């Protein structure tokens, strides 16, 4: 007998047929004698619809009421899921986040879980129930309903698994697991049997949106091992866990492509102390997140240098206007921008103990005649900025070089 937390996302509970399908899956575990706590999201599209309604009423919806509104999405699903189990003669009880003992701070619409008191969950389990918990919501010490930020049901599930010391935590979604790269771009992409928290976090922040990053961070902090798998088939999913030494045998775990980048170059910035500090303080004050930075060699004759950095496409206009306004003040020649770029990255904890990975990546790109605009590396990641038009071809080549035909994951 195991204590299992299962989380079903919006696509897994998209309509009543899907909810019945979820109930059948829960039954399989119940029939084996397992205790099951189920966390559900709102039915697909429901949260977006509710947000739309709020904005129809007022331009900046009041946040306490927004949470009151959004929490109804998950509340619908818990009741229907419990009913679907009752219809199969399985004892089940639904709980709101508050009833499940999920306590949060009072930062409405993006609250943080502070504590979970699962006494009521344990009582209901011990009485023989499947317990169905509304994801994405909690309650402040004052008793107000809060929500945890978009995609927050993942966090509810991981946090509950930690709080009740579950033997297993399964995150059900509409994909089979975590892939070596986006299968829509690279048909040869393979599903991974396992991936380390840090790799998953890097891939998520690089634009592979399998799961909310905060949930993975939480899982890492509390050592919650979890599996991402599909609710629509019985294929084994991907296990996400702490890295182990044998995982270093795989040098590159995954590759990702982020097309949501743009490049800004300040041409001929005076080459003297304090300039970089000034430039990046201006960006920080304007709340523009920057990713990669490159300072080119000085223009020999003029004692000036080009400074390039990447921002999200959505922030490009803001960054451009900001620096056009500062041109004479800082004293550079021109603001050049390039939206036609993408960031290609490879990730793997094995990079810590292997050398030659960067050169192999650069050689692969060279043989494809892909020009590299910027490079950045960390212990477990290498990223390059390349031309957008080359980017899918480059991803395929890099995937073929590092990620195909491996004996094991
Ligand atoms: N229903 C919420 C959302 O759409 C939470 C979740 O699905 O995880 O963001
Ligand atoms: Mg979701």
């Amino acid at each position: 007998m195991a204590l299992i937390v299962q989380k079903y996302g919006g696509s897994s509970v998209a309509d009543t047929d899907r909810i019945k399908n979820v109930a059948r899956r829960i039954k399989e575990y119940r029939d084996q004698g397992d205790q099951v706590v189920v966390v559900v999201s709102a039915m697909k599209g429901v949260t977006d619809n509710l947000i739309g309604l709020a904005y129809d009423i007022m331009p900046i919806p009041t946040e306490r009421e927004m949470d009151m509104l959004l929490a109804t999405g998950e509340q619908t699903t818990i009741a229907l899921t419990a009913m679907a189990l009752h219809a199969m003669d399985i004892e089940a009880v639904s709980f709101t986040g508050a009833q499940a003992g999920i306590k949060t701070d009072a930062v409405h619409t993006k609250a943080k879980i502070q504590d979970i008191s699962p006494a009521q969950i344990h009582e209901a389990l011990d009485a023989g129930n499947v317990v169905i918990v509304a994801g994405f919501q909690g309650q402040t010490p004052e008793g107000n309903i809060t929500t945890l930020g978009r995609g927050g049901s993942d966090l509810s599930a991981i946090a509950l698994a930690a709080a009740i010391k579950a033997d297993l935590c399964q995150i059900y979604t509409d994909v089979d697991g975590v892939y070596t790269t986006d299968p829509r771009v690279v048909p040869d992409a393979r599903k991974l049997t396992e991936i380390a928290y840090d790799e998953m976090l890097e891939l998520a922040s690089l634009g592979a949106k399998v799961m909310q990053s905060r949930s993975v961070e939480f899982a890492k902090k509390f050592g919650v091992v979890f599996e991402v798998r599909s609710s629509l088939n019985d294929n084994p999913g991907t296990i996400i866990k702490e890295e182990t030494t044998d995982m270093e045998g795989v040098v590159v775990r995954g590759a990702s492509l982020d097309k949501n980048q743009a490049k800004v170059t300040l041409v001929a910035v005076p080459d003297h102390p304090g300039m970089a500090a000034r430039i990046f303080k201006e960006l920080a004050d304007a709340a523009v997140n920057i990713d990669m930075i490159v300072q080119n060699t000085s223009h020999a004759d003029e004692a000036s240098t080009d400074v390039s950095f990447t921002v999200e496409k959505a922030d490009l206009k803001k960054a451009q206007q900001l620096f056009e306004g500062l041109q004479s003040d800082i004293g550079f020649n021109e603001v050049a921008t390039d939206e036609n770029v993408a960031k290609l990255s490879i990730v793997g904890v094995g990079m810590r103990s292997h050398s030659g990975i960067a050169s192999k990546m650069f050689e692969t790109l060279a043989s494809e005649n892909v020009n590299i605009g910027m490079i950045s590396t960390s212990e477990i990641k290498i990223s390059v900025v390349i031309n957008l038009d080359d980017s899918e071809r480059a991803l395929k080549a890099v995937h073929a070089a590092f990620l195909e035909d491996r004996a094991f994951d």
Side-chain angles (χ1 to χ4, degrees):
M1 190 192 86
L3 175 56
I4 302 177
V5 172
Q6 300 186 329
K7 181 259 174 176
Y8 292 93
S11 56
S12 298
V13 293
D15 53 37
T16 49
D17 280 337
R18 291 271 173 97
I19 291 174
K20 290 176 192 168
N21 169 60
V22 163
R24 281 192 294 273
R25 299 195 79 100
I26 296 168
K27 181 177 186 306
E28 281 173 32
Y29 286 88
R30 265 295 294 242
D31 289 350
Q32 296 173 36
D34 296 324
Q35 289 190 317
V36 191
V37 175
V38 178
V39 175
V40 287
S41 290
M43 295 162 80
K44 189 183 171 91
V46 165
T47 306
D48 288 335
N49 281 341
L50 292 169
I51 292 172
L53 295 177
Y55 281 99
D56 279 351
I57 301 270
M58 66 191 298
I60 304 173
T62 38
E63 290 180 333
R64 180 187 181 281
E65 306 314 322
M66 192 64 152
D67 279 349
M68 187 65 87
L69 177 69
L70 295 189
T72 65
E74 273 68 15
Q75 215 166 311
T76 305
T77 326
I78 52 170
L80 293 174
T81 307
M83 287 176 193
L85 287 162
H86 295 165
M88 295 192 307
D89 281 327
I90 296 169
E91 289 170 274
V93 59
S94 66
F95 286 155
T96 63
Q99 289 173 320
I102 299 175
K103 311 233 167 57
T104 73
D105 62 20
V107 184
H108 284 288
T109 76
K110 40 184 176 297
K112 285 206 168 61
I113 296 178
Q114 290 189 321
D115 185 34
I116 299 185
S117 327
Q120 230 179 312
I121 293 183
H122 283 302
E123 262 171 51
L125 286 173
D126 291 344
N129 290 288
V130 173
V131 175
I132 317 286
V133 178
F136 176 56
Q137 57 176 262
Q139 190 181 28
T140 66
E142 294 75 38
N144 288 311
I145 296 176
T146 50
T147 64
L148 308 176
R150 294 309 305 271
S153 300
D154 287 337
L155 186 61
S156 308
I158 302 277
L160 272 172
I164 66 171
K165 302 190 174 58
D167 301 304
L168 191 62
C169 178
Q170 301 173 319
I171 305 288
Y172 284 93
T173 174
D174 54 0
V175 294
D176 278 355
V178 183
Y179 278 71
T180 49
T181 193
D182 186 345
R184 286 167 305 187
V185 180
V186 184
D188 289 327
R190 287 175 305 110
K191 185 177 61 186
L192 295 162
T193 48
E194 60 180 21
I195 183 168
Y197 295 126
D198 286 337
E199 294 170 330
M200 182 80 171
L201 283 166
E202 285 290 5
L203 288 170
S205 69
L206 298 172
K209 294 175 226 61
V210 183
M211 255 185 98
Q212 195 208 35
S213 293
R214 242 174 99 192
S215 315
V216 183
E217 277 160 17
F218 193 101
K220 180 183 174 191
K221 190 161 160 205
F222 291 93
V224 178
V225 176
F226 63 96
E227 180 185 15
V228 173
R229 56 185 297 178
S230 169
S231 63
L232 304 174
N233 60 46
D234 287 322
N235 300 341
T238 303
I239 304 284
I240 295 91
K241 59 177 198 177
E242 192 52 69
E243 98 183 60
T244 50
T245 42
D246 61 303
M247 290 175 98
E248 292 192 8
V250 174
V251 181
V252 178
R253 185 87 49 197
S256 74
L257 189 59
D258 181 356
K259 296 182 176 181
N260 189 28
Q261 296 275 317
K263 181 173 158 184
V264 178
T265 302
L266 307 181
V267 180
V269 177
D271 192 10
H272 59 74
M275 275 298 135
R278 171 79 198 276
I279 289 166
F280 293 104
K281 174 153 193 339
E282 295 286 354
L283 285 162
D285 289 349
V288 173
N289 276 330
I290 48 143
D291 185 17
M292 281 196 224
I293 302 170
V294 170
Q295 180 173 317
N296 300 326
T297 46
S298 302
H299 295 239
D301 43 341
E302 309 155 38
S304 66
T305 178
D306 294 348
V307 176
S308 299
F309 52 89
T310 58
V311 297
E312 288 193 356
K313 281 208 167 82
D315 280 337
L316 179 62
K317 285 279 164 302
K318 195 170 167 187
Q320 188 176 2
Q321 277 169 9
L322 174 72
F323 284 109
E324 278 166 1
L326 291 166
Q327 187 167 337
S328 53
D329 190 12
I330 299 181
F332 54 86
N333 284 354
E334 185 196 345
V335 187
T337 62
D338 187 357
E339 276 194 272
N340 200 36
V341 296
K343 182 172 67 165
L344 171 64
S345 310
I346 55 175
V347 172
V349 291
M351 287 186 200
R352 288 200 182 107
S353 50
H354 289 76
S355 53
I357 314 304
S359 67
K360 181 171 169 187
M361 183 176 187
F362 303 155
E363 272 165 29
T364 305
L365 294 170
S367 67
E368 287 290 316
N369 213 8
V370 172
N371 191 43
I372 300 172
M374 297 165 110
I375 299 168
S376 84
T377 64
S378 80
E379 256 195 312
I380 65 164
K381 178 187 71 175
I382 302 168
S383 302
V384 294
V385 170
I386 55 180
N387 194 299
L388 182 65
D389 307 322
D390 293 335
S391 64
E392 295 199 352
R393 190 163 52 85
L395 178 64
K396 285 187 187 119
V398 165
H399 189 271
F402 288 101
L403 288 153
E404 267 162 40
D405 301 327
R406 263 188 345 223
F408 62 101
D409 293 328

